Amino acid sequence: MGEVAALRQLVGQVQELWDLYGANAHPVPRQGERTKSLLSPSSSRTAPFGYSAPTSRSRPRPPRPPPRADLLAPLRRGFWHCPMHRTRLFTQPHGIEPGKVLHPRWYLLDFEHGSIKDDYCGGRSGYNSELLKIMETNQSPLWKRPRRDRNREKAPSSNKTEVMQQEVWRDFPEDLFETVIARLPVAAIFRFRTVCRKWSSLLGSDSFSHQYSEAPRELPWFYTITHENANNNVAMYDPLLKKWHHSSVPLTPTKIVIPVASVGGLVCLLDLSHRNFYICNPLMQSLKEIPPRSVQGWSRVAVGMVLNGRSSSDGYKVMWLGNDGTYEVYDSTKNMWSCPGTFPPGIKLPLALNFRSQPVAVGSTVYFMCAEPDGVLSYDVSTGIWRQFAIPLPLHLTDHTLAEFQGRVMLVGLLCKNAATCVCIWELQKMTLLWKEVDRMPNIWCLEFYGKHMKMTCLGNSGLLMLSLKAKRMNRLVTYNLLKREWQKVPDCMLPCSRKKQWIACGTAFDPIPCALA
């Protein structure tokens, strides 16, 4: 910045000289002509630097300031010579002999002390003359380096590694380690398990379980089953990273199971016979087989799960319900099935349950979707009370399922009218027992479904919804955040070493809790 300020000051002073003496300046003598010395005694008595005062007979007109382009012409041509010290300021112009006087008033440069002497005013103003030194030695001026080169100098070297000071981290409180790690994303927690054995054993400690339960919850993950790769067809989706995870070892290598419910980081799996149940933690790859239900023979059932307390360490209950009104409840603390009571006579049988809709749990109450009549059936696991609500469905609704959000019962459905198809979200009004629409899919997304026979499957119905929209040669996965009311597209599910797209058959949402025990 000092060089730029010096150059601006020099240009301003050159313009001032031209305005004052441009019209009275002596012309540059040609070769072979005799010129009068500017420093003659007669002229130096009347005016400084060899100029004689104008007489009254021939008083010249006031000089007209030249155009702005002409003010910088001498500077562009690069010639300035001092008549007294013969100090070169810029390069010598072509056609001018060294030593010739080109202007009546000049600045004298002192390169040794880095200053400029102004003989016209008698004062001196010193500043950095590095730019003038560069021009004196015919060096190229400085220029601004590219940002890439400057960032390369600022960036630390790749071969330099920061060494942690042992005396600082040796006395670090252990509970703070657990507090920090418990608030990290789930994927980061599993990466930190490889640091040391102590950190790897954190997930099984009671203190870490308490810290993790106190930490704010993340978005739920999705445990899904794909059509392909029957030996290991489990795929888990992380909505925070928008990434699919595939387990390396199948949980049940000899049986085909489907996820039917989840609570507290645990997922309930049911085999195709609808008789054998399994409880697993998908993150820890732990699996527990619970006793089979007492009802013999095949019958399709709807399954729900609730917690006994705040976390899975306090125990959980699994409940199944059939169309004929039979039901059982499994208590993990007792490790057995029980039938709490008989089905109330006020509820008409058969129930005509909608098995395409997964039951949802709000507290200790499980809600089931019924088809005839349209409505909701609820059961309180802690009190054993049944309730039935006749709630008419919205018009033109084809596929629908229950959902839960912050203790409220929601409805997700596919509206089809004429050739138009759209996904809508409703909320159950407890006072009027009617469904109130709260949101719907953007119209620009619905244009893709126009004129197609669509089918919808809900893969997760707790806080964050995952919807599978299928048609002929088309399968779209989308998520809907009930809190933010935000729609997002889900990337295709593919194996790590394959480009083949995996089609999702079924699934459920679960809370990613590494310390949940089955």
Side-chain angles (χ1 to χ4, degrees):
M1 298 299 295
E3 293 82 2
V4 176
L7 186 58
R8 290 179 177 176
Q9 182 178 0
L10 184 59
V11 172
Q13 292 171 348
V14 170
Q15 293 178 355
E16 181 183 359
L17 290 175
W18 186 271
D19 295 341
L20 294 177
Y21 302 103
N24 298 333
H26 288 247
V28 178
R30 301 179 181 177
Q31 295 183 2
E33 296 182 0
R34 297 182 61 182
T35 58
K36 186 176 181 180
S37 175
L38 294 174
L39 300 178
S40 59
S42 60
S43 59
S44 59
R45 296 174 184 172
T46 57
F49 295 93
Y51 268 87
S52 58
T55 59
S56 58
R57 297 181 180 179
S58 60
R59 178 172 297 176
R61 290 184 177 181
R64 178 179 298 178
R68 185 175 182 83
D70 296 334
L71 297 178
L72 302 179
L75 192 62
R76 289 196 303 268
R77 290 194 298 268
F79 65 95
W80 297 106
H81 271 264
C82 177
M84 300 177 63
H85 296 270
R86 298 182 180 275
T87 305
R88 186 174 63 170
L89 177 60
F90 293 103
T91 57
Q92 180 69 18
H94 298 286
I96 303 297
E97 297 181 2
K100 298 296 183 179
V101 179
L102 301 180
H103 205 278
R105 174 176 176 266
W106 305 106
Y107 285 82
L108 310 179
L109 305 184
D110 187 358
F111 293 104
E112 296 180 357
H113 299 86
S115 62
I116 294 182
K117 301 177 182 180
D118 188 355
D119 287 346
Y120 175 77
C121 303
R124 297 185 180 182
S125 59
Y127 57 89
N128 188 4
S129 61
E130 183 179 356
L131 178 64
L132 303 179
K133 293 182 181 179
I134 293 175
M135 294 182 177
E136 172 65 20
T137 56
N138 294 328
Q139 296 180 2
S140 59
L142 297 176
W143 63 85
K144 189 176 181 180
R145 291 175 297 171
R147 181 178 298 178
R148 181 180 58 184
D149 298 341
R150 288 179 288 164
N151 295 340
R152 188 175 301 172
E153 295 180 0
K154 295 180 181 179
S157 178
S158 58
N159 55 2
K160 296 180 180 179
T161 58
E162 297 183 0
V163 181
M164 297 178 62
Q165 299 180 4
Q166 297 295 334
E167 59 274 9
V168 175
W169 297 96
R170 185 180 304 166
D171 300 330
F172 194 81
E174 294 295 334
D175 56 343
L176 291 184
F177 275 119
E178 296 181 356
T179 303
V180 173
I181 295 177
R183 283 159 175 78
L184 294 176
V186 178
I189 293 177
F190 281 89
R191 287 198 302 268
F192 285 145
R193 292 184 62 189
T194 60
V195 173
C196 59
R197 294 181 180 180
K198 190 174 183 179
W199 284 18
S200 180
S201 61
L202 280 179
L203 300 183
S205 63
D206 296 336
S207 58
F208 181 79
S209 301
H210 176 71
Q211 292 287 351
Y212 197 87
S213 61
E214 297 295 332
R217 294 272 66 82
E218 296 182 348
L219 294 175
W221 284 28
F222 296 94
Y223 183 91
T224 63
I225 303 296
T226 61
H227 286 289
E228 292 81 5
N229 193 11
N231 294 329
N232 187 13
N233 55 354
V234 176
M236 293 180 293
Y237 179 69
D238 181 3
L240 185 62
L241 301 179
K242 298 182 180 181
K243 182 179 179 181
W244 288 95
H245 301 274
H246 301 269
S247 59
S248 57
V249 179
L251 293 177
T252 56
T254 58
K255 295 183 179 181
I256 299 177
V257 295
I258 56 175
V260 291
S262 66
V263 68
L266 302 177
V267 177
C268 180
L269 305 175
L270 180 64
D271 65 354
L272 295 182
S273 66
H274 284 227
R275 188 171 184 270
N276 299 315
F277 290 85
Y278 304 87
I279 307 298
C280 74
N281 185 340
L283 298 180
M284 301 301 297
Q285 296 291 297
S286 60
L287 181 69
K288 174 186 176 181
E289 182 177 0
I290 63 178
R293 61 193 182 101
S294 59
V295 178
Q296 300 295 330
W298 185 91
S299 62
R300 194 168 186 181
V301 295
V303 183
M305 288 185 70
V306 295
L307 290 174
N308 293 338
R310 296 186 57 185
S311 63
S312 61
S313 60
D314 300 327
Y316 54 89
K317 289 183 175 67
V318 181
M319 175 190 175
W320 64 265
L321 175 64
N323 270 331
D324 56 355
T326 57
Y327 68 97
E328 283 184 323
V329 178
Y330 169 81
D331 193 345
S332 63
T333 58
K334 301 177 182 180
N335 194 25
M336 60 178 297
W337 292 93
S338 64
C339 185
T342 59
F343 206 78
I347 300 178
K348 184 180 178 181
L349 297 176
L351 297 176
L353 296 174
N354 183 3
F355 293 106
R356 292 180 60 88
S357 172
Q358 292 184 1
V360 296
V362 179
S364 60
T365 305
V366 182
Y367 293 87
F368 302 89
M369 195 76 186
C370 297
E372 295 179 4
D374 293 334
V376 177
L377 183 66
S378 68
Y379 176 73
D380 194 331
V381 179
S382 60
T383 61
I385 299 177
W386 287 93
R387 290 182 180 179
Q388 188 177 23
F389 306 94
I391 307 173
L393 295 175
L395 298 177
H396 311 290
L397 187 63
T398 56
D399 294 339
H400 55 278
T401 181
L402 289 178
E404 180 271 334
F405 173 63
Q406 295 181 353
R408 293 174 288 177
V409 180
M410 314 293 291
L411 179 68
V412 185
L414 193 65
L415 285 180
C416 297
K417 184 178 181 181
N418 298 331
T421 303
C422 183
V423 180
C424 296
I425 311 294
W426 293 269
E427 180 183 350
L428 179 60
Q429 305 297 307
K430 295 183 179 180
M431 297 298 296
T432 60
L433 291 180
L434 295 175
W435 297 108
K436 178 184 177 181
E437 183 177 343
V438 293
D439 200 2
R440 62 172 53 196
M441 181 179 287
N443 293 332
I444 190 171
W445 287 22
C446 298
L447 292 177
E448 186 180 4
F449 312 140
Y450 186 82
K452 297 180 181 179
H453 184 66
M454 302 296 301
K455 291 291 183 180
M456 187 195 75
T457 304
C458 186
L459 305 179
N461 54 0
S462 178
L464 184 67
L465 310 180
M466 176 180 280
L467 306 177
S468 174
L469 303 172
K470 297 181 181 179
K472 188 177 181 180
R473 297 181 181 180
M474 185 183 72
N475 185 8
R476 295 291 182 269
L477 292 177
V478 297
T479 59
Y480 177 72
N481 193 323
L482 290 169
L483 178 62
K484 299 181 179 179
R485 295 189 177 184
E486 181 182 16
W487 298 86
Q488 287 188 355
K489 294 184 178 180
V490 178
D492 295 336
C493 177
M494 293 184 294
L495 294 175
C497 300
S498 175
R499 295 184 178 180
K500 186 178 180 181
K501 180 180 178 181
Q502 304 289 311
W503 289 65
I504 305 299
C506 58
T508 185
F510 72 99
D511 295 324
I513 303 177
C515 51
L517 299 177

